[in-house]
Each structure stands twice: as C-alpha cells, then as structure tokens.
Amino acid sequence: MGEDRRVAEHPILEDLREPDTYILYDGKRIPAITGEPVAAALLAAGVRIMRHTTKTGQPRGIFCGIGRCNDCKMIVDGVPGVRTCVTPVREGMVVETQEGLGEWRDLV
Amino acid sequence: MRKVQLLIVGAGPAGLSAGIEAARAGVQVTIIDENLRPGGQLFKQIHKFFGSRVHNAGVRGFRIGEKLLQDTKDLGVEVLLGYPVYGIFPGGEVVYGTADGAHQMKAEKIILATGANENNLYFEGSTLPGVMTAGAAQTMINLHHVLPGKRVIMVGSGNVGLIVSYQLLQAGAKVEAVVEAAPSIGGYGVHAGKLKRAGVPFYLSHTVRRAMGSTEVEAVELVELDHFKPVPGTEKIIEADTVCMAVGLTPMTELASLCGCELVESRGLGGLVPAHDHNMCTTNPDVYIAGDISGVEEASTAMEEGRLAGTAAAESLGYISEAEAAEKKAEIHRRLDLLRSGQFGAKRAEAKAEIEKSFAQMQRGGEVG
Ligand SMILES: Cc1cc2nc3c(=O)[nH]c(=O)nc-3n(C[C@H](O)[C@H](O)[C@H](O)COP(=O)(O)OP(=O)(O)OC[C@H]3O[C@@H](n4cnc5c(N)ncnc54)[C@H](O)[C@@H]3O)c2cc1C
Ligand code: FES
C-alpha cells in the first residue's frame, strides 16, 4: 500500500484527473476521484485484496473489472457483497475488506 | 407493460450501430445496457484502427464510440444505462433490473448485441489477486487511468494480448513477458513488432505453470511446451506482480437461448453462436443478433453487422421497402467482405458462411419436420 498507481503521463489519454475526494478503506483515508469505481481508487492506492473466501479464507481481487465475476466484492457503506469494480465512488464512502459472505453493518 | 418497437440489448459498437440504422429509417428504438457507460469495448480501445477510410482507419476506437453516441442522441434513440437484462420470454417480453427491482417491457423486434465474455485459464495460484483478464487491465488503464500492477506477464499473443500489452507499456507498466502456448504469435505482425521494438520478450511454446505469492502475485513460473505438453526441467521463474489472460473470447448467448434461438458451434469464431442468416436474423424471426455474440471478430465488423441487423429489423417492421433494404444490405455486405479478406479475414468469412449454411439447414429441417 501507499504507492500511487495512477497513470500520470500518457501519449494518448488526455483527461487524466487528480483525486478530488476520499473514501475510507478499513478505516484509512484513501484519495479517490468522484465517480470512478471504488476498485480503481483502491488499486491506485496499491490495495489489491478485496475479500477473503468463506471456507478457506483465500484472498480475491479484481478479475474481470466489469461486474461479471464477483471476485471484487466488499462491504460498502455497511452492505456486503458489493461489486467494487462497478460501484462509483462517493465522498466518504466506507469500504471494508469482506470476510466470507460479510456482515451487514449499521453505520449510524 | 411498456411497449417498444425495437429493443437492442447491448450498447457496444454493434448495438449502437444497429440503433442508429433503424432510427434513421424511422423506427422507435430503445437500447439497454448493464454498463453505466455506453460503448462496450470501444471506449477501451485507444489505438488507431486499420483498414480503409470507410472503416475509420486511423481513427482511435474511443473517438468512433463518441461519434456513435452523438448519432444516437441526434436521432433521439433512447439509451437506458445501468440496467442488466435478465431474461427474454416468448412474445418479446423482456425482464430487466434497475436500482428498485425488476421491470418488464415488451418489444416487437429485438436485436441482441451482448458481445462476448473473456475466457480464463486455470493454474495453481490463478485466483491470487493480481491475476486478471486482459480486459480488466485494459479497463483499469484506459478507462480509469490506474495501473493494475507494475510488472505484467501477458498470457496469449492474439491481438487482444498484443494490444493490451502495448497499452500497458503506454500507461507506464513494464511487460515482463508475452507467453504463448502455440509455436507462433497469434495476432498481427504490426502489433507484435511494436512490442518487440520496445524490448518485450516473447515466450513462444510456453505456458504459465503457476502464479506464486502468499497474498498477491509476486512471481510466475513458466514452462516450455512441446506440442502443448509441458517439458520437465524447463521451468523458469519470472518476478511479476500481475498476470493478464488474453486467451480468447466466448460469445454471450444466454439471452439468445432464452428466446429460443437455436445455437450452432463455430470453432473459428469462439464457440456456440446463435444460428443466423445473411441478414443477422436468428431462428426466432423476431430476434436479430450483431457483433461478437454472432461470432467473435472485431469492432469494425461488429458495427457493420449492427447496421445490417438494424436495416433488416426496420424492413421487417415496414419502415423501408424491400428494394431499398436490399440495396442497403448489399452495400453493407460489400464492406463486410472487405473486412473479411486477407490472411485472417478469409478464415472468418469461411466460418460465417458455415454458420449461414447451418441456419439454412435448420430452416429446411423445420419445414420438413
Ligand atoms: C480486452 C478486449 C480487447 C479488445 N480489443 C479489440 C481491439 O483492439 N480492436 C477490435 O477491433 N476489437 C477488440 N476486441 C473485440 C471486441 O469484442 C469487439 O471489437 C467489439 O467490441 C464487439 O462489439 P459488440 O458490440 O458486439 O460487443 P461489446 O463491445 O462487448 O458490447 C456489448 C455490450 O452489451 C452489454 N451487455 C451484455 N449483456 C447484457 C445484458 N444481459 N444486459 C444488458 N447489457 C448487456 C455489455 O455491457 C456491453 O456494453 C476486444 C475485446 C476485448 C475483450
Ligand atoms: S472484478 Fe469481476 S465483478 Fe468486479
């Protein structure tokens, strides 16, 4: 963690943006861009483990990147099983590593 | 229940082109896509397209996508985003999801342009974070501008593997190896040449034996293959934090099966595809297909097939005359023939002809039985 993996320079892509907000990942503040997928903000911060499997606790991370495989599920704002690769960032979102099927949490 | 004239599932190059063509003829068109962003695979494609001017050669994929979107807007095509289609039932009843649950609508004609799914490989460690499809890496760098890793091993040297490798370099990653099980490179020489000039090593007749690492990919073990069988003693370990798989695409035919379209095996085009005629009509006369779902090719062919399906649907809805439609279709076919020529294209043309032959047989079988 801690290193920035955002593309800083590119020969073709023009609209490279800077973080304009933040999310909370397992209690830590991580810079993020409003509207980008939660998974992209996490990857940018070097986080690649999204959850651990139910039976054997194996780590899982982004696999398909387009909402089809379910590997990137995390607990988002208290709701488990949220596919972070297709969930847009909102300011202050609370994102947690999911253990197994995860648990519903009351955030208030 | 809401009624629409023509519903198109999938807002990729095929679906958008189909919608534009049908709307130009006067059809009331609705396009639906599960993605929040329209454009399908096109918006990840930042390289210039080949071919002739009519095929947008020299124009980057995402620019073509922007043009298609603008056209749908100008023509007043309804584009519903973020709604997955779950099922289609006899009579054209379509079930789709929104944030507040499942909804239904009824369509007179349907065009399925759902694209294809990426294939996977299984090996020890293939579920470790850091192992992903080439499409996932491409989405992260080109759409979200984030590197999935810094040192990448690409498995597969077809065009997707080659193009995504080059795009990873452009985004600032290092490609440690392109690994290919076959003895020769699968994709176009121009794409491979760019990588070779950038010093990317190619491991032909090799595969990934395992991805290593305690919680994420840290290294990858390759092994040499002799006629696709591992040769003991040839294992080598390469440090890497990411493995991308570009090992082919499979047409997404689930919705087609649900609406009763008969499928046919096409080895050259990715597996089972809905049988279809020369104008993209399936064995369900109200359902057309276009793009990768009808056999995996490329964005340019997907757009032409979309236009074909859009024209055929408009004709069957009575918006263009048979003569006018015939002229349009012939023109589109001329362009498709150009796209399906040359070393790689000719094989695809053959595979397409096979599918049409199966379709004709099914239709005859249906008449007799
Ligand atoms: C990683 C990758 C790289 C590629 N690179 C190239 C390239 O460089 N050049 C090239 O020519 N081709 C490339 N291709 C091939 C590409 O598939 C085609 O070019 C083209 O995008 C096919 O168009 P399409 O409209 O058929 O499908 P897609 O572009 O895949 O669009 C299908 C759309 O349907 C939607 N959809 C699917 N199912 C549903 C459902 N049930 N409900 C709602 N919506 C649904 C999807 O969200 C998607 O937006 C690449 C493919 C991949 C996977
Ligand atoms: S990475 Fe596959 S669903 Fe998110």
Side-chain angles (χ1 to χ4, degrees), chain B residues 251 266 269-270 273-274 276 291-298 305 352 355:
Chain B
S266 175
L269 297 175
V273 301
H276 57 274
D292 281 353
I293 182 182
S294 74
V296 174
E297 295 188 81
E298 49 192 28
E305 285 191 343
K352 273 284 173 185
I355 296 172

Side-chain angles (χ1 to χ4, degrees), chain A residues 3 5 7 48 60 63 68, chain B residues 133 145 147-148 150 241:
Chain A
E3 35 177 346
R5 292 177 183 225
V7 176
R48 299 209 297 179
R60 291 286 187 275
F63 184 76
R68 293 198 181 137
Chain B
T133 66
H145 310 159
L147 284 171
K150 295 196 162 159
D241 58 21

Side-chain angles (χ1 to χ4, degrees), chain B residues 130-212:
Chain B
V131 179
M132 64 191 74
T133 66
Q138 195 184 38
T139 304
M140 286 305 148
I141 49 175
N142 292 348
L143 278 186
H144 308 312
H145 310 159
V146 172
L147 284 171
K150 295 196 162 159
R151 304 176 69 182
V152 184
I153 299 222
M154 180 65 65
V155 188
S157 71
N159 281 324
V160 170
L162 297 178
I163 290 172
V164 176
S165 290
Y166 191 67
Q167 292 174 350
L168 280 160
L169 293 181
Q170 286 180 314
K174 190 158 182 251
V175 179
E176 301 288 350
V178 175
V179 181
E180 169 61 57
S184 57
I185 291 172
Y188 295 149
V190 255
H191 294 316
K194 282 193 199 167
L195 290 173
K196 284 183 179 162
R197 283 194 294 281
V200 173
F202 280 74
Y203 289 84
L204 303 178
S205 296
H206 273 77
T207 193
V208 172
R209 163 152 274 176
R210 57 186 172 132
M212 297 140 82

Side-chain angles (χ1 to χ4, degrees), chain A residues 76-91:
Chain A
V76 176
D77 287 341
V79 181
V82 175
R83 293 167 303 166
T84 52
C85 70
V86 288
T87 302
V89 159
R90 273 181 295 101
E91 178 167 326

